[in-house]
Amino acid sequence: MKTANPHQHAPHQATPGAQPGKYLTFTLGEESYGIPVLKVREIIRLCPITPVANMPEHIKGVINLRGKVIPLVDLRAKFCLPIAADNDRNCIVVTQIAAPSGGTRLYGVIVDGVEEVANFAASDIEPTPDFGGAVDAQFITGMAKSGTVVKTLIDLDKISAVDGTIAIQALSPSHSSQAK
């Protein structure tokens, strides 16, 4: 009798990717991106941002949202896209993501504009293409086809995890002494 290995996955599930369902789609430049709508807490207008010292360029600082301090990331800068002038469509998508200590935490991302809530079926979602070793696609969970447009589905939990590591390194005494 053969025992199933609980850690063995079917080949198409080896790398967790985008799941069918509802996604909030938004723009960064001329491109469309999406995140699972269940991660979205709210969408707000740009508001005063408090900068935090020693952060990478894409981490803009924090905002105070009804008494909660929320880290804020500019996805355009994170993805190395050209910086554009702010306009009335720019907004902050406040999301709820996994916290390193367990549970969830709030995480804000600046986007150029919100498009819609789109429902993608499994047949609409393709796995992340192999871009070769020169392109870092670790934040992409899949590509969703919507008519003639392709929307890049991204993983904010992975982006936040990398940013958390950067922030810890930037604030650690050993890193500070090396920077001098």
Side-chain angles (χ1 to χ4, degrees):
M1 186 161 119
K2 192 172 184 180
T3 308
N5 180 347
H7 301 289
Q8 187 175 16
H9 297 287
H12 69 280
Q13 294 176 336
T15 303
Q19 299 298 311
K22 293 184 179 185
Y23 286 79
L24 176 72
T25 62
F26 55 87
T27 58
L28 296 173
E30 301 295 317
E31 304 302 320
S32 292
Y33 295 83
I35 55 175
V37 77
L38 292 177
K39 293 210 174 266
V40 177
R41 180 89 179 265
E42 63 186 290
I43 301 165
I44 61 174
R45 292 193 177 283
L46 287 179
C47 58
I49 300 168
T50 303
V52 177
N54 296 320
M55 291 293 120
E57 183 180 335
H58 69 277
I59 300 177
K60 295 303 177 190
V62 295
I63 59 171
N64 180 349
L65 183 63
R66 295 183 295 281
K68 294 262 190 207
V69 176
I70 301 170
L72 189 62
V73 171
D74 183 341
L75 285 182
R76 184 185 272 275
K78 175 68 180 173
F79 295 157
C80 300
L81 298 171
I83 303 303
D86 287 343
N87 63 52
D88 61 344
R89 290 190 37 112
N90 294 126
C91 58
I92 298 170
V93 179
V94 179
T95 64
Q96 199 162 337
I97 60 170
S101 59
T104 60
R105 66 185 178 95
L106 296 177
Y107 186 73
V109 293
I110 300 172
V111 301
D112 290 350
V114 170
E115 291 180 316
E116 65 180 343
V117 172
N119 192 17
F120 297 123
S123 60
D124 297 328
I125 300 173
E126 296 282 335
T128 304
D130 181 3
F131 293 105
V135 176
D136 183 3
Q138 68 175 321
F139 308 123
I140 302 173
T141 59
M143 309 301 279
K145 301 171 285 191
S146 177
T148 60
V149 177
V150 175
K151 298 176 188 275
T152 303
L153 305 179
I154 59 173
D155 186 338
L156 292 178
D157 290 307
K158 283 186 181 176
I159 292 171
S160 168
V162 169
D163 287 344
T165 302
I166 291 169
I168 289 167
Q169 289 172 346
L171 296 175
S172 72
S174 63
H175 182 78
S176 298
S177 62
Q178 291 172 357
K180 291 180 182 175

